[in-house]
Amino acid sequence: MAGFRSLARQVRDPRCDLALRRYSLRKCLERFAPYGHRATWDHLCSRAGFGPEDRSPDPARLVAALDELEEARSVWLAYEVEFAQRRKKEKHDGLRRPGSVDDWHRLTWGGFGVAWCDDPRVHPHEALAEVLRRLIAALEREPGEACPVCAGERLTWKYDLAHEPSSGPVCTGCGIVVPRPVLTPEALVEARRGRLLVSA
């Protein structure tokens, strides 16, 4: 099975058939898809200027989408290295029990679903790398009251999400499932009060 870098080379290779280049970009999302596969694909297509169902997009647009995905992946991989180093130091210092950020991180190892968007058509508009930088910054500071990506304060609790955890606070502004560790207990209570009664 090809890895992310191998697939990325195929996307960039002008000698490859256009269908293979598009397919390889889609396969990259099996290795790294911050919003989930479908939402990340929709995001990349809209930002690069081709349709999700376009079978013969401009190769330059495919490469632009790949560039955005690679930049975001670099941001996330750097965070994972720092995270692993921190956990190693904590274990050395006797802190064996992981915290809530660690529990959340375990579910997103590798970057899949880091900023899960349950509705693939509703996701942040900013570049993926910027979204991840905002999310990482929120994970590294005290919990807040709003979405770390768009600063939206309207969070709604949703059940039956297509990702773990299966329920959580969803930002009605940008569509991400907000990681619980970045929110105060009060913000989580408020999100539950405004919960959607049916899943999308």
Side-chain angles (χ1 to χ4, degrees), residues 15-49:
R15 295 167 301 172
C16 288
D17 174 78
L18 185 56
L20 175 62
R21 294 174 74 180
R22 180 187 181 278
Y23 173 78
S24 296
L25 180 59
R26 289 293 302 253
K27 292 293 280 183
C28 283
L29 300 184
E30 292 179 10
R31 311 298 182 276
F32 180 73
Y35 303 153
H37 190 282
R38 292 172 56 214
T40 305
W41 178 249
D42 191 78
H43 169 86
L44 291 173
C45 291
S46 64
R47 296 245 327 150

Side-chain angles (χ1 to χ4, degrees), residues 9-163:
R9 277 194 298 274
Q10 288 179 346
V11 176
R12 286 202 167 86
D13 190 344
R15 295 167 301 172
C16 288
D17 174 78
L18 185 56
L20 175 62
R21 294 174 74 180
R22 180 187 181 278
Y23 173 78
S24 296
L25 180 59
R26 289 293 302 253
K27 292 293 280 183
C28 283
L29 300 184
E30 292 179 10
R31 311 298 182 276
F32 180 73
Y35 303 153
H37 190 282
R38 292 172 56 214
T40 305
W41 178 249
D42 191 78
H43 169 86
L44 291 173
C45 291
S46 64
R47 296 245 327 150
F50 61 94
E53 301 302 323
D54 187 349
R55 298 291 175 202
S56 54
D58 179 342
R61 293 179 189 272
L62 283 176
V63 172
L66 176 64
D67 287 344
E68 179 173 346
L69 188 64
E70 284 181 319
E71 182 186 3
R73 184 171 179 262
S74 294
V75 168
W76 185 253
L77 291 177
Y79 169 73
E80 286 196 334
V81 167
E82 290 175 16
F83 177 88
Q85 290 171 343
R86 177 181 62 82
R87 281 299 295 142
K88 185 176 181 181
K89 182 181 182 317
E90 287 174 350
K91 286 178 182 177
H92 179 267
D93 293 344
L95 182 62
R96 297 278 176 195
R97 185 179 180 139
S100 62
V101 170
D102 304 301
D103 291 340
W104 170 83
H105 189 266
R106 184 177 40 79
L107 298 173
T108 60
W109 187 259
F112 187 83
V114 172
W116 182 262
C117 297
D118 216 49
D119 182 342
R121 295 157 301 171
V122 181
H123 44 73
H125 300 291
E126 296 83 6
L128 282 170
E130 178 57 27
V131 168
L132 293 183
R133 285 186 193 101
R134 291 177 189 178
L135 190 60
I136 290 166
L139 290 165
E140 294 173 343
R141 65 177 179 253
E142 291 298 311
E145 301 286 326
C147 172
V149 171
C150 71
E153 295 182 358
R154 185 137 188 272
L155 306 175
T156 305
W157 200 268
K158 278 189 74 176
Y159 293 94
D160 300 321
L161 298 171
H163 187 260

